[in-house]
Amino acid sequence: MDLNTIPLDSVDRIEVLKDGASSIYGADAIAGVVNVITKKQFQGATVSAEVGKGQHPGGGESRFTATVGTGDLDTDRFNAYFSVEWQGDSRILAGDRPFPYNTSDLSSIGGPDNRAGFPGSFIGSTSAIVAPSVLTPGSPSPAVLNTTQVGGYQPLTSCGPGTVAQSAPSAIAGATDNYCLQNRSNFFDDQPAQQRIGVSGHFTVKVNDNTRAYINASYYQNNVIVDTGPAQLQNSVALNTENIALPPTLPNGSLNPNNPFAALGEYALTQYSFGDIQQDLTLKNHNFRMVTGLIGKMGGWDYDTALVINHTWLDSVQRGLLSASGELAAVTSPICPRHPRRI
């Protein structure tokens, strides 16, 4: 059972049986049992609110609960109470923490340099780099996905904010690659944002001095929002665009103004990350639970019967994925593909 689905205001006590309890709970309880005992009844109303903030940015916490109940089992022979609960935890970005947790470049302490933007890595920075290429003879269509590099990389415009200019010998003999490295850790979460909301109700009737009938129902939803890096122009699913290139001419026959090698009839292999298309994954876990039963005494024996209905389902929404067909259309458009709303 997910303990997040138990409203804290409804908890009366927690019992921990450290020894085996297989005779009561079955073979799964051989190592012990933790029993969360909820309140039999509640009268009145209670409201609580909490706010917390960490020493460093991010990771704030807030929580609100409210419970209201009425009826006395001894005098009214019934009790009903209702609880609502909300909790929110803000995200902690990797960039909000000190070195070495805020960078993907650990070369200064003998580790790897995993910054984005190295030529040929298929993980571009938000400053596009291009390299001249020619159509591979006999390659299949489309041509923009099947070219061969013939020169070094260079920035399409310049290395923009958040990137660092770098140079190194190219994989092409005699050429030099000029490119823009970027620390992508700032886009990722150390702790994702979470929100939890829940409602629950508890209704008990005292049938007689030895018997109580009850029904509990609750619904809880837990949302987790995971931030990941910006969408990549290079992708292997569902269409492999890792070698995508800007063509030298547009469909109307004119030179491609976005291709710096167009006048030479060459393609421009492109490596790029869409800085304004942040990818994220939202997970919504839902849980509905209902328990009804009888508790009492009969013939010198205590009994506790229960019928449990529990349903859990998960919704997953991933945003920031690019359209492969949109990419192919954008590279042949007179509007520069660095404006990703075309894609």
Side-chain angles (χ1 to χ4, degrees):
M1 179 180 178
D2 184 358
L3 295 180
N4 285 324
T5 62
I6 300 177
L8 294 180
D9 281 355
S10 300
V11 176
D12 183 42
R13 66 187 188 277
I14 297 176
E15 297 178 348
V16 179
L17 306 180
K18 295 185 290 184
D19 299 325
S22 300
S23 60
I24 301 176
Y25 299 102
D28 289 341
I30 191 171
V33 170
V34 176
N35 285 328
V36 180
I37 311 300
T38 57
K39 297 173 181 177
K40 296 178 182 178
Q41 60 179 334
F42 179 86
Q43 295 96 24
T46 179
V47 176
S48 66
E50 301 174 8
V51 176
K53 182 71 173 64
Q55 176 184 2
H56 301 287
E61 298 180 358
S62 54
R63 183 171 175 268
F64 171 83
T65 63
T67 301
V68 59
T70 185
D72 184 275
L73 289 176
D74 293 327
T75 58
D76 301 320
R77 305 189 72 84
F78 83 93
N79 179 261
Y81 62 88
F82 178 79
S83 298
V84 296
E85 182 177 355
W86 179 89
Q87 180 174 331
D89 299 333
S90 62
R91 68 179 182 174
I92 299 177
L93 286 172
D96 290 336
R97 294 297 178 260
F99 181 85
Y101 310 106
N102 61 352
T103 181
S104 49
D105 179 13
L106 302 178
S107 57
S108 63
I109 56 175
D113 185 354
N114 292 323
R115 286 178 293 178
F118 285 102
S121 65
F122 305 128
I123 302 177
S125 71
T126 54
S127 295
I129 59 173
V130 291
S133 63
V134 296
L135 184 62
T136 304
S139 61
S141 181
V144 293
L145 298 180
N146 295 280
T147 63
T148 301
Q149 181 181 351
V150 295
Y153 276 92
Q154 66 183 49
L156 184 58
T157 53
S158 61
C159 292
T163 64
V164 178
Q166 191 85 9
S167 297
S170 174
I172 305 300
T176 299
D177 287 329
N178 297 288
Y179 47 95
C180 310
L181 293 181
Q182 185 171 34
N183 174 26
R184 284 167 52 89
S185 294
N186 294 325
F187 295 106
F188 291 85
D189 296 329
D190 276 347
Q191 172 185 290
Q194 297 187 57
Q195 295 88 37
R196 184 167 69 98
I197 185 170
V199 294
S200 65
H202 187 116
F203 182 71
T204 305
V205 174
K206 188 176 182 179
V207 179
N208 54 49
D209 290 342
N210 294 320
T211 307
R212 298 196 319 269
Y214 67 91
I215 181 170
N216 302 335
S218 64
Y219 170 79
Y220 272 80
Q221 178 176 313
N222 190 51
N223 302 331
V224 179
I225 304 171
V226 182
D227 294 296
T228 58
Q232 289 287 333
L233 183 64
Q234 286 75 24
N235 207 320
S236 58
V237 179
L239 179 67
N240 191 329
T241 59
E242 290 182 340
N243 288 309
I244 196 167
L246 301 174
T249 59
L250 299 176
N252 62 9
S254 62
L255 290 179
N256 188 343
N258 303 311
N259 180 352
F261 316 114
L264 301 176
E266 296 174 332
Y267 288 75
L269 274 175
T270 306
Q271 202 168 286
Y272 178 62
S273 176
F274 292 84
D276 58 349
I277 302 183
Q278 175 77 27
Q279 291 186 322
D280 62 53
L281 173 64
T282 300
L283 301 172
K284 295 182 179 181
N285 184 46
H286 311 263
N287 178 265
F288 171 77
R289 189 171 188 265
M290 185 175 69
V291 183
T292 184
L294 292 171
I295 299 175
K297 297 180 179 180
M298 181 182 294
W301 291 84
D302 293 336
Y303 66 87
D304 188 340
T305 66
L307 171 65
V308 180
I309 299 174
N310 189 80
H311 178 54
T312 299
W313 67 102
L314 178 68
D315 296 329
S316 175
V317 178
Q318 189 166 0
R319 299 183 301 178
L321 299 178
L322 301 183
S323 164
S325 59
E327 290 186 60
L328 293 179
V331 296
T332 59
S333 168
I335 297 179
C336 180
R338 287 174 289 137
H339 298 282
R341 297 308 171 197
R342 295 281 303 189
I343 298 178

